[in-house]
Amino acid sequence: MELLHSGKVRDVYADGDDLLLVASDRISIYDVALPTPIPDKGRLLTALSLWWFEQLADLVPNHVISATDVPAEFAGRAIRCRRLEMVPVECVARGYLTGGGFTEYQRTGAVSGVELPRGLVEASILPEPIFTPSTKAPKGEHDEPITYAQVVDKLGAETAERLRQITLDVYRRGAEIAADRGILVADTKIELGWAPDGSLVLADELLTSDSSRFWPAESYQPGRAQFSYDKQYVRDWATGSGWDRQPPAPEVPAEVVEATRARYVDVYEKLTGNRWA
């Protein structure tokens, strides 16, 4: 095998005509990998992605070849995948107003060029889900929001519309499945790539605690920050630590690591119905 790329949280290997996507226990916030791992994170996110790929297989094809035909040292945290030409845009869908979207809305009344009603507050549910793409920045740089018109300029109208439709379809299906299990999907980011036949294929991870914001439906209340089953807990700790969001990042305290792992386990069990061993 040949190591092709070592990212903030994933490593990609070439194995013949296939790729091996290996999820580490590293955690990244504000596009910076933290020095402290979250135990079991790679296995949890791999298992959750595989579950979601299966749930959405009838909606859009995915890159999965096998989760078992992988080297023993990567068992449980690796997926054998098809090679794709990755789309150079981050595809994001939002059903609720929070995070960077809420900050932009407060400043402009819109998110990624999508005008929204006046008077929305933190965690407001949107009239309908919206497509809010961003750049796919090189390592060490930050993704930046872009408008749909910029995606059209970059990739053409037909591809832009297909990206938007797939992203919103994935969000709606995922949000519906999650809601049946007491989980709100505030937003999610997906990765898409072109197969040799020109079709768009889901890749990377899908509806995980790293790529989505998950909230418990039972405690949801607009106008305030929500309890999150994702890495928002680490973001909040980092914000309070005084870190300037530039590398090197500080070590994460043990109690924050433990609480974050518990959130990852909890949402995995709630969504899949499987107990995490």
Side-chain angles (χ1 to χ4, degrees):
M1 292 192 307
E2 176 190 358
L3 178 63
L4 298 180
H5 174 70
S6 185
K8 294 186 288 289
V9 297
R10 285 176 184 76
D11 300 322
V12 181
Y13 294 84
D15 187 15
D17 292 334
D18 304 335
L19 295 179
L20 285 175
L21 186 66
V22 183
S24 74
D25 289 342
R26 301 188 296 271
I27 189 167
S28 168
I29 58 172
Y30 306 123
D31 294 314
V32 178
L34 303 184
T36 315
I38 307 296
D40 283 339
K41 175 176 173 286
R43 294 197 304 128
L44 279 158
L45 297 195
T46 298
L48 187 54
S49 284
L50 288 166
W51 185 83
W52 278 116
F53 282 132
E54 185 176 337
Q55 304 305 307
L56 276 62
D58 65 314
L59 189 68
V60 57
N62 61 67
H63 67 163
V64 177
I65 296 174
S66 175
T68 55
D69 182 17
V70 300
E73 64 266 32
F74 298 147
R77 63 175 63 247
I79 302 175
R80 182 174 294 275
C81 308
R82 290 191 276 164
R83 287 179 182 259
L84 305 170
E85 180 187 350
M86 298 306 295
V87 173
V89 169
E90 300 279 9
C91 295
V92 181
R94 300 176 188 269
Y96 295 78
L97 190 59
T98 192
F102 180 53
T103 302
E104 185 180 351
Y105 169 78
Q106 288 179 303
R107 188 176 68 252
T108 68
V111 181
S112 294
V114 180
E115 295 290 334
L116 295 173
R118 297 179 62 181
L120 299 181
V121 297
E122 165 70 32
S124 285
I125 187 169
L126 299 176
E128 61 181 5
I130 59 174
F131 178 59
T132 60
S134 69
T135 61
K136 189 176 288 186
K139 186 175 181 179
E141 298 182 24
H142 298 292
D143 297 340
E144 298 292 342
I146 55 177
T147 65
Y148 180 72
Q150 288 174 294
V151 180
V152 171
D153 289 343
K154 188 179 185 70
L155 299 173
E158 184 177 347
T159 296
E161 177 54 31
R162 188 76 181 116
L163 293 176
R164 176 166 63 180
Q165 192 59 55
I166 291 173
T167 304
L168 293 175
D169 285 348
V170 166
Y171 174 80
R172 289 188 178 102
R173 174 75 70 83
E176 180 182 358
I177 292 171
D180 288 342
R181 292 155 172 80
I183 303 295
L184 302 179
V185 182
D187 52 45
T188 196
K189 177 183 72 174
I190 65 171
E191 298 268 5
L192 291 160
W194 287 286
D197 65 1
S199 61
L200 283 166
V201 176
L202 277 173
D204 198 55
E205 61 183 323
L206 181 62
L207 286 159
T208 71
S209 303
D210 270 15
S211 64
S212 315
R213 285 185 174 91
F214 294 130
W215 299 337
E218 62 184 6
S219 62
Y220 168 69
Q221 183 181 340
R224 61 170 175 79
Q226 310 298 307
F227 180 94
S228 292
Y229 292 113
D230 50 60
K231 60 182 182 181
Q232 186 61 45
Y233 187 74
V234 183
R235 290 191 192 98
D236 293 343
W237 162 79
T239 300
S241 73
W243 176 46
D244 63 3
R245 303 187 184 184
Q246 299 299 315
E251 292 283 347
V252 184
E255 63 272 16
V256 176
V257 171
E258 183 178 350
T260 302
R261 181 187 180 278
R263 283 163 165 76
Y264 280 50
V265 170
D266 200 12
V267 78
Y268 168 83
E269 293 184 339
K270 283 181 164 63
L271 287 170
T272 67
N274 299 325
R275 179 133 183 97
W276 184 254

